[in-house]
């Protein structure tokens, strides 16, 4: 899949911007920090996932002083079919977000994954050492693009979790009884089971070729493994639901004291180990980068396998963390995919790319060494 054009209206630093991205290969956005390069990748991620890859809240996505934004993108599938994707968000007269496919309004579940993307941000370098929420977001971002059922279950789970935690606070304040948790525990388990099962299946799929990808990047780890961390052990839906319910009941008194739900998919995690040693306890920064690149390539392969489309690759300032050898190896591995990346300077090495300069919200194409405003 390729993004042929991108149009922004009142989005971030851009009152109006139209980019022709129909040329195949790598598109490199070059500019100083704060120039607006990342805003372009963020807009593309919203077309794909309907939310900011940076976690930015909706009111902060509109240009300063505006109460709405619009993002439009024309995409072309591997078969040559063209589609127009659009996301419109407004804050007044009431908060509303609408999505359109070929100018026909569509629901969120029908839109997510129409344009599969893999996003690589500087904070991804904290994937192994940072908060478990980063690792959960890693798997959620993949699964939401390939499974409307997963997206639906995740949204329902988050809603029920919020309601259960509200009830826990009411119990702690004496305004509700612990027995009232019974019905919420059942709802939470019903939505949580498909999340855990889908994540386990994903981890198993990635594990199949992880050693091969790691070896290709120069690390001879034959016993590298992705391990999913959870309190239970069941892998069948019925048994897993019972396990969740038993755990919630066993932790009920503690949950009421802490006013928070202590078990479930929102508490689960994963890690990579080599020879039963956690990667973050021994791997050098270079080894962690190589592992991260392997996971990046696995994401690309997984999305292409599940969707039948080549995902669009978004890199935000990734070259600042990679030496020239890794830069060239990475782009070589992604030959045949559309890649959009941001950088503060043109990297060393021989890159075949379409260059754009970004300065104070203005984007200009560089053609044959000449800057052409757009």
């Amino acid at each position: 899949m390729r993004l042929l054009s991108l149009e922004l209206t009142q989005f971030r630093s851009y009152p109006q911007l139209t980019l022709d991205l129909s040329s195949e290969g790598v598109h490199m956005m070059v500019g100083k920090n704060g120039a607006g390069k990342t805003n372009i990748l963020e807009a593309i991620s919203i077309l794909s996932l309907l939310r900011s890859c940076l976690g930015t809240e909706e009111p902060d996505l509109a240009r300063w002083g505006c109460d709405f934004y619009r993002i439009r993108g024309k995409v072309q599938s591997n078969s040559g079919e063209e589609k127009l994707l659009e996301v419109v968000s407004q804050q007044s007269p009431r908060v509303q977000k609408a999505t359109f496919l070929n100018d026909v309004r569509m629901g969120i579940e029908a839109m997510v994954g129409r344009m599969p993307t893999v996003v690589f941000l500087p904070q991804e370098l904290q994937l192994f050492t940072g908060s478990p929420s980063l690792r959960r977001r890693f798997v959620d971002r993949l699964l939401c693009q390939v499974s409307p059922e997963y997206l639906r279950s995740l949204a329902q789970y988050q809603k029920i979790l919020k309601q259960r935690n509200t009830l826990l606070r009411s119990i702690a304040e004496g305004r509700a009884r612990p027995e009232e948790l019974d019905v919420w525990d059942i709802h939470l388990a019903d939505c949580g089971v498909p999340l855990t099962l889908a994540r386990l299946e994903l981890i198993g799929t990635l594990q199949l070729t992880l050693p091969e990808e790691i070896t290709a990047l120069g690390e001879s780890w034959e016993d590298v493994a992705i391990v999913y961390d959870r309190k239970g052990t069941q892998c069948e839906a019925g048994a897993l639901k019972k396990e969740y319910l038993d755990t919630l009941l066993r932790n009920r008194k503690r949950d009421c004291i802490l006013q928070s739900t202590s078990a479930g998919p929102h508490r689960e995690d994963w890690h990579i180990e080599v020879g039963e040693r956690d990667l973050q306890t021994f791997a050098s920064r270079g080894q962690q980068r190589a592992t991260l690149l392997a996971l990046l390539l696995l994401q690309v392969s997984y999305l292409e396998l599940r969707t039948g489309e080549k995902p669009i690759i978004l890199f935000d300032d990734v070259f600042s963390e990679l030496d020239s050898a890794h830069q060239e190896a990475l782009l070589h591995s992604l030959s045949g995919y559309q890649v959009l990346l941001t950088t503060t300077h043109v990297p060393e090495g021989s890159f075949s790319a379409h260059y754009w300069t970004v300065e104070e919200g203005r984007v200009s194409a560089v053609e044959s060494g000449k800057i052409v405003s757009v």
Side-chain angles (χ1 to χ4, degrees), residues 2-288:
R2 288 191 296 130
L3 179 62
L4 301 178
S5 65
L6 180 68
E7 181 181 340
L8 309 181
T9 303
Q10 306 298 358
F11 181 80
R12 289 292 209 173
S13 56
Y14 298 100
Q16 187 72 40
L17 177 67
T18 300
L19 295 179
D20 179 0
L21 300 169
S22 58
S23 300
E24 296 184 5
V26 177
H27 291 263
M28 192 172 295
M29 309 286 175
V30 185
K32 297 179 180 179
N33 291 328
K37 307 183 300 297
T38 303
N39 296 347
I40 296 172
L41 302 190
E42 187 176 29
I44 297 172
S45 77
I46 291 174
L47 276 182
S48 174
L49 300 166
L50 303 189
R51 63 176 60 191
S52 164
C53 60
L54 301 176
T56 310
E57 297 295 332
E58 284 294 316
D60 298 323
L61 290 171
R63 190 165 177 262
W64 183 260
C66 297
D67 57 10
F68 85 98
Y69 70 81
R70 175 183 286 109
I71 305 171
R72 289 167 61 92
K74 180 182 289 187
V75 298
Q76 184 180 61
S77 68
N78 291 355
S79 64
E81 181 183 6
E82 294 186 3
K83 297 178 181 179
L84 181 63
L85 309 179
E86 181 176 357
V87 176
V88 181
S89 179
Q90 67 178 37
Q91 296 300 309
S92 66
R94 64 188 179 91
V95 176
Q96 186 177 15
K97 192 172 187 177
T99 58
F100 301 86
L101 174 63
N102 294 331
D103 295 321
V104 177
R105 187 162 183 174
M106 305 287 285
I108 289 178
E109 291 178 15
M111 284 292 289
V112 172
R114 291 278 182 174
M115 184 182 72
T117 56
V118 171
V119 184
F120 191 95
L121 307 170
Q123 49 264 47
E124 303 289 348
L125 293 167
Q126 304 300 318
L127 188 66
F128 306 125
T129 59
S131 165
S133 63
L134 292 176
R135 292 180 287 279
R136 288 192 294 269
R137 186 180 67 181
F138 174 93
V139 296
D140 287 343
R141 199 161 57 192
L142 270 179
L143 289 168
C144 284
Q145 293 188 72
V146 302
S147 172
E149 294 78 13
Y150 186 90
L151 176 63
R152 188 183 311 118
S153 294
L154 182 61
Q156 291 174 340
Y157 183 88
Q158 292 170 340
K159 181 179 179 180
I160 293 168
L161 177 64
K162 183 177 180 180
Q163 292 170 323
R164 188 180 192 271
N165 288 341
T166 298
L167 179 56
L168 287 172
R169 288 191 289 272
S170 296
I171 293 171
E173 295 168 0
R175 295 185 289 108
R177 296 175 293 106
E179 294 77 17
E180 296 178 45
L181 288 167
D182 290 345
V183 65
W184 294 110
D185 288 359
I186 294 174
H187 291 327
L188 199 67
D190 284 338
C191 294
V193 165
L195 297 183
T196 296
L197 292 180
R199 290 175 180 178
L200 288 171
E201 182 180 12
L202 170 63
I203 294 298
T205 301
L206 298 181
Q207 176 61 41
L208 292 174
T209 51
L210 176 63
E212 179 182 336
E213 293 289 356
I214 290 287
T215 300
L217 289 167
E219 299 298 334
S220 55
W221 296 337
E222 296 180 357
D223 51 354
V224 59
I226 310 178
V227 180
Y228 194 69
D229 302 317
R230 59 186 178 124
K231 294 183 178 179
T233 59
Q234 298 296 332
C235 297
E236 186 274 325
L240 180 56
K241 178 179 177 179
K242 183 180 184 302
E243 187 175 65
Y244 272 153
L245 289 173
D246 290 344
T247 302
L248 289 170
L249 182 60
R250 187 169 57 250
N251 294 352
R252 180 170 290 185
K253 182 177 293 186
R254 182 173 66 175
D255 286 358
C256 289
I257 294 173
L258 298 176
Q259 303 176 39
S260 179
T261 302
S262 57
H266 67 291
R267 298 288 188 183
E268 295 171 351
D269 196 1
W270 60 270
H271 70 277
I272 291 182
E273 61 182 35
V274 180
E276 299 184 354
R277 290 188 301 163
D278 194 321
L279 181 76
Q280 66 169 311
T281 64
F282 74 91
S284 67
R285 188 169 177 83
Q287 290 173 319
Q288 291 189 31

